[in-house]
Amino acid sequence: MANSLRKPAVLDPMYYPVVALVIVLIACVELSDAVTAVDVYRLVQYDISGVPFGSRLSTLNHHAGSSLFASGSSSDLSRTVLILPVRELNLTLITEYIEQKKLLGGLLLLLPPKFSPENIDSTFGADKDIDSLRNKLVELEWLLTHSNIPYPVYFAFEDDNINAVLAEVRRNDASGQPATATTGGYKLVVAASDPKRIASPNIANIQGWLPGLKVDGDSNQLPTIAIVASYDTFGAAPALSVGSDSNGSGVVALLEIARLFSALYSNPKTRGRYNLLFGLTSGGPYNYNGTQKWLRSFDQRLRESIDYAICLNSVGSLGNQLHLHVSKPPENAYIQQIFQGFSAVAEELGLQVGLKHKKINISNSRVAWEHEQFSRLRVTAATLSELSTAPELLESTGGLADNRHFTNEASIIRSVKLVAESLARHIYSQEQKSISIFADDSSLAVNPSYIRSWLDLLSTTPRVAPFLSKNDPLIKALEKELADHTAEVNVQHETLDGTFAFYDSTSAKLHIYQVASVTFDLLLLLVLGSYLITLFTFLFITTRGLDDLISLFRRPPSSRKVKTA
């Protein structure tokens, strides 16, 4: 009984150190809370024929810096994450740094908020530098996507929190005390798993069919006109590659043309004696790989029935000039017929259409335009685009600078009118007449609200094909929309050409921590040690007495062994 009564008196004080330790741990947790958390988007990682490009890592855990030469040109930045606003970026310096393969812990590039795909309702206003900033972004994107970068590269959008962090990092760098384990500062952390190669990346082609009117007793197959647009994109940051103009504008134009001809073909009296084939193709940035596989799935009869194909590519930027790109010689009768039909309608709309001829190199599998995949199968085709020259591989495919603000609804409407009127006059043999089948005040007028709604949707939806699943909502939405206006809609799923390989981990959450210096750590350790010594002394005296405490520090008498003879 006596022992049981003494135990609480002896054990109660022993809980004090535990309580104190818990309090200290809670304090440490509070001190290490993140200053802010930011959504970041990783630079694309891909291979072409086994050659690596883009960022090869995804994990970040280093202190923040604000300049490539914060501590001199010979400074070691292998454990530093640089925060660089794109608007202030020196392209020459960053190009030299990447080309010389200098070490870096990581790179965080800050984009102006106006370039965010979410800001479709905002306007640039009177920003005089927006064009130069856009051109700088295009050059930067080309550099990053065509380099092998052995450290993580992320994009984020400027906001008050990250700007405040950057301002303090700059002050520290300017004072000659950049962030290190000794001086403290800010640490940037992205906890991401190692990027994995995407196995068998999917590309999906969506096809719709509007059958023409066949006269009874006519056994001949009706001719077919194909209207085609590639819907997927490619850019430095797959999670931001919405491609409003390239090729969102082409997709929107195709859907509106399908809607207009659906209304026209719904009445047997106005149904033309041409079949209309609508194709939304994938793999456009990757040598139009989806278009190639879609065409090879056609049977010979269908392929031979195609009178010609019109491919729509980037038709939504400001300006009044478009180009008709062809592979056959300009003097070819079919090419002249198509060009003259487009030119006549363009003149009525206040547009200019130029004819651009580019031969196909049969020995080279590389194609610059979508219509070249048709031409390789001896099908007459042309590409309508605002681009006057053929882009390089993975160029002008919906990158960071291609967003809603640079895509003009009025330009898409004029492009729709140009294509729809030209096709209708050809279908109904009205080429020499200045008639307007799709007049603004008629039931067949172009619908600006329809164009705007689809343009807004595509301008907020990243569409890099390898990252779209077979059941992706976008593919389902495009399939449903085409089914509303055409018949016999089907989706063809294929695997992207093995020449291209892509890796996952396209976005993450960046945590920014304010890290205390070693001086603070030593001070905290001293205070904590003093507290524990004082607490131990107090508890020992209250339980054992002062004499026992003193005896702990007394030197015990030495014992000597007595040697015996």
Side-chain angles (χ1 to χ4, degrees):
M1 178 66 76
N3 291 338
S4 63
L5 290 175
R6 281 196 299 269
K7 282 184 180 178
V10 174
L11 293 176
D12 282 349
M14 301 303 292
Y15 289 108
Y16 298 157
V18 177
V19 174
L21 184 59
V22 171
I23 293 173
V24 172
L25 289 175
I26 293 175
C28 291
V29 170
E30 292 297 326
L31 287 172
S32 64
D33 272 349
V35 174
T36 187
V38 181
D39 290 322
V40 290
Y41 310 92
R42 192 168 78 98
L43 174 64
V44 65
Q45 178 179 348
Y46 70 103
D47 303 335
I48 300 181
S49 298
V51 180
F53 293 97
S55 175
R56 312 309 293 183
L57 295 175
S58 60
T59 303
L60 273 183
N61 190 6
H62 295 303
H63 287 82
S66 63
S67 172
L68 287 168
F69 308 104
S71 303
S73 58
S74 60
S75 60
D76 180 15
L77 299 177
S78 61
R79 298 189 62 81
T80 301
V81 180
L82 290 182
I83 307 176
L84 302 177
V86 171
R87 66 172 74 248
E88 304 170 12
L89 196 63
N90 187 319
L91 280 176
T92 302
L93 291 180
I94 194 69
T95 300
E96 292 177 357
Y97 203 92
I98 291 176
E99 289 180 348
Q100 293 174 11
K101 300 188 181 301
K102 294 184 179 180
L103 294 179
L104 189 63
L107 185 60
L108 177 62
L109 297 166
L110 301 183
L111 301 170
K114 293 177 181 179
F115 283 87
S116 172
E118 297 179 359
N119 293 337
I120 60 173
D121 295 326
S122 63
T123 58
F124 286 116
D127 194 341
K128 298 180 181 179
D129 299 327
I130 197 64
D131 288 333
S132 62
L133 180 58
R134 188 187 184 199
N135 293 334
K136 177 188 288 188
L137 196 55
V138 170
E139 291 184 43
L140 174 64
E141 190 165 24
W142 176 263
L143 169 67
L144 295 176
T145 55
H146 290 77
S147 302
N148 179 5
I149 304 179
Y151 44 80
V153 179
Y154 282 95
F155 296 91
F157 291 98
E158 299 172 356
D159 60 21
D160 293 339
N161 292 330
I162 201 166
N163 288 342
V165 170
L166 177 58
E168 190 164 344
V169 171
R170 282 175 167 172
R171 282 195 296 269
N172 293 337
D173 288 346
S175 66
Q177 292 186 343
T180 63
T182 303
T183 61
Y186 287 93
K187 177 171 280 192
L188 277 57
V189 178
V190 173
S193 58
D194 293 336
K196 295 181 178 59
R197 178 171 174 168
I198 299 175
S200 304
N202 172 70
I203 53 176
N205 301 313
I206 309 168
Q207 171 186 307
W209 182 265
L210 268 181
L213 182 65
K214 200 168 185 179
V215 179
D216 293 338
D218 188 354
S219 59
N220 295 325
Q221 184 175 0
L222 293 178
T224 300
I225 296 176
I227 304 96
V228 187
S230 177
Y231 67 83
D232 61 332
T233 60
F234 174 87
L240 299 175
S241 300
V242 296
S244 297
D245 187 26
S246 178
N247 189 29
S249 61
V251 173
V252 173
L254 181 145
L255 293 176
E256 175 64 355
I257 293 170
R259 189 190 68 82
L260 293 173
F261 276 97
S262 174
L264 196 61
Y265 272 45
S266 62
N267 186 344
K269 294 182 179 180
T270 56
R271 186 183 302 173
R273 297 200 64 198
Y274 275 82
N275 300 317
L276 295 180
L277 176 63
F278 295 91
L280 291 170
T281 59
S282 183
Y286 322 114
N287 216 36
Y288 295 99
N289 190 231
T291 309
Q292 179 191 40
K293 295 184 176 182
W294 179 53
L295 292 176
R296 293 191 181 279
S297 70
F298 292 175
D299 58 41
Q300 184 177 355
R301 189 180 179 192
L302 172 58
R303 194 180 304 162
E304 291 177 351
S305 76
I306 298 178
D307 195 16
Y308 63 85
I310 296 295
C311 303
L312 308 176
N313 182 294
S314 300
V315 293
S317 70
L318 291 171
N320 63 345
Q321 187 168 15
L322 292 170
H323 306 277
L324 200 65
H325 298 272
V326 296
S327 300
K328 290 185 175 182
E331 58 272 13
N332 179 277
Y334 281 101
I335 298 301
Q336 279 298 313
Q337 183 183 33
I338 297 171
F339 176 63
Q340 290 173 5
F342 273 72
S343 297
V345 177
E347 186 177 354
E348 298 171 12
L349 296 173
L351 288 170
Q352 293 180 351
V353 176
L355 188 63
K356 297 284 185 176
H357 173 235
K358 175 183 170 297
K359 289 184 177 180
I360 296 177
N361 185 356
I362 300 297
S363 61
N364 187 359
S365 60
R366 162 86 172 105
V367 297
W369 299 105
E370 188 166 19
H371 76 266
E372 293 181 13
Q373 293 290 13
F374 286 84
S375 298
R376 284 177 177 271
L377 298 177
R378 304 186 182 280
V379 176
T380 301
T383 294
L384 183 69
S385 176
E386 67 211 19
L387 302 176
S388 60
T389 58
E392 297 293 332
L393 182 66
L394 302 179
E395 182 186 23
S396 300
T397 51
L400 296 170
D402 187 354
N403 59 36
R404 181 67 174 82
H405 304 293
F406 297 103
T407 307
N408 187 265
E409 295 173 25
S411 297
I412 298 178
I413 291 173
R414 287 193 302 176
S415 297
V416 169
K417 289 181 178 180
L418 172 63
V419 177
E421 286 289 352
S422 300
L423 294 181
R425 293 183 187 183
H426 177 70
I427 291 172
Y428 299 104
S429 301
Q430 302 293 321
E431 288 94 341
Q432 306 302 323
K433 300 179 181 179
S434 297
I435 63 172
S436 183
I437 297 175
F438 302 102
D440 291 338
D441 55 353
S442 70
S443 60
L444 295 174
V446 175
N447 187 342
S449 297
Y450 181 84
I451 288 176
R452 184 180 305 113
S453 62
W454 268 102
L455 184 59
D456 288 345
L457 174 63
L458 294 174
S459 297
T460 54
T461 308
R463 304 186 302 281
V464 179
F467 301 98
L468 298 178
S469 65
K470 290 184 177 181
N471 296 318
D472 192 271
L474 173 67
I475 295 176
K476 293 294 183 184
L478 292 173
E479 178 186 4
K480 181 181 181 303
E481 192 64 26
L482 209 53
D484 289 342
H485 307 312
T486 63
E488 301 178 30
V489 173
N490 64 75
V491 180
Q492 175 195 28
H493 292 285
E494 295 285 350
T495 301
L496 183 64
D497 189 342
T499 303
F500 298 89
F502 286 83
Y503 297 78
D504 60 9
S505 186
T506 60
S507 60
K509 184 72 75 172
L510 169 69
H511 295 275
I512 303 177
Y513 296 92
Q514 189 166 16
V515 183
S517 65
V518 171
T519 304
F520 176 82
D521 292 337
L522 291 175
L523 181 61
L524 180 62
L525 181 61
L526 179 61
V527 171
L528 183 58
S530 301
Y531 168 76
L532 292 177
I533 292 173
T534 303
L535 182 62
F536 172 79
T537 303
F538 172 76
L539 293 176
F540 200 94
I541 292 174
T542 56
T543 56
R544 302 283 296 274
L546 181 60
D547 292 338
D548 288 343
L549 178 64
I550 295 174
S551 66
L552 289 175
F553 300 97
R554 287 178 180 171
R555 184 177 182 183
S558 59
S559 59
R560 298 178 179 178
K561 294 183 179 180
V562 180
K563 295 183 179 180
T564 58

